Amino acid sequence: FEYGALAGKHVVITAGPTREPLDPVRYISNHSSGKMGYALAEAAADAGASVRLISGPVTLQVPPRVDCIQVETAEQMLAASLDDIDRCDLFIAAAAVADYRPVAVEEHKIKKGSEEIMELRLTKNPDIVATVAGLGAQRPYTVGFAAETRDVIGYARSKLIRKGLDLIVANDVSNPEIGFNSDDNAVTLVSADDEVSLPQASKRQLARRLIEQIAQHYKQSTK
Ligand code: C5P
């Protein structure tokens, strides 16, 4: 691990779930713990970067020297991501963004009715990492994650292309020992022409290896 690998660089990392309100007391969300994103923020700061972490609701401590912006919804996460994009060199999207949000947020608590079936209308959330990757010439080097249960590399590679990313971290979440909520992870870093497997390790250790690899790819791209 190289302590100066990201010296002078500004890194923005999204982490955790988003929370999409239905009414003042209810929301749609997911089980993301934020551990991988927070570990990446810590590793990027250790590599010398200035780090902004844009975090959905999680119960983790913000690592030292990391500037954390707390958000709830995907729309807030997108706005925060674009907020200092001009000075962003490297954007890493580790958040588990809700794909859909309720069409309307009710002002008052939705009351239980007599009907057995209740239908919710949902609308698609913006794709944050694809928006950032599509910003044009001034865009930061952009890294996404792909949590998959089968054909992990294949789906990750198609996401890399579809979203216009520079790198994607492929994560097999069918294995309960790694991925969502667990302390360990194992991933494959996929670029347009290459694949690097990083074996199972604590998310903290793995984050340091990932930041090392990402910094190397990023340097290559700016040569
Ligand atoms: O398409 P999928 O959700 O599997 O893609 C995962 C990647 O895209 C992750 O890097 C995630 O943070 C990012 N993403 C996003 N905004 C969304 C959905 C996913 O930034 N609305």
Side-chain angles (χ1 to χ4, degrees), residues 14 74 93-99 125-130 143-148 159 162-163:
T14 67
V97 182
D99 291 324
N125 265 329
D127 192 310
I128 297 164
V129 76
V143 183
F145 273 73
E148 307 291 346
K159 251 171 224 185
R162 179 159 43 82
K163 298 190 188 220

Side-chain angles (χ1 to χ4, degrees), residues 58-100:
V58 297
T59 54
L60 302 172
Q61 271 218 323
V62 177
R65 291 168 286 113
V66 169
D67 162 37
C68 183
I69 310 283
Q70 316 263 4
V71 298
E72 293 214 339
T73 67
E75 288 181 302
Q76 290 167 359
M77 189 173 273
L78 175 63
S81 299
L82 296 178
D83 185 51
D84 74 341
I85 206 70
D86 289 344
R87 65 183 190 108
C88 176
D89 299 297
L90 176 58
F91 185 84
I92 305 176
V97 182
D99 291 324
Y100 291 88

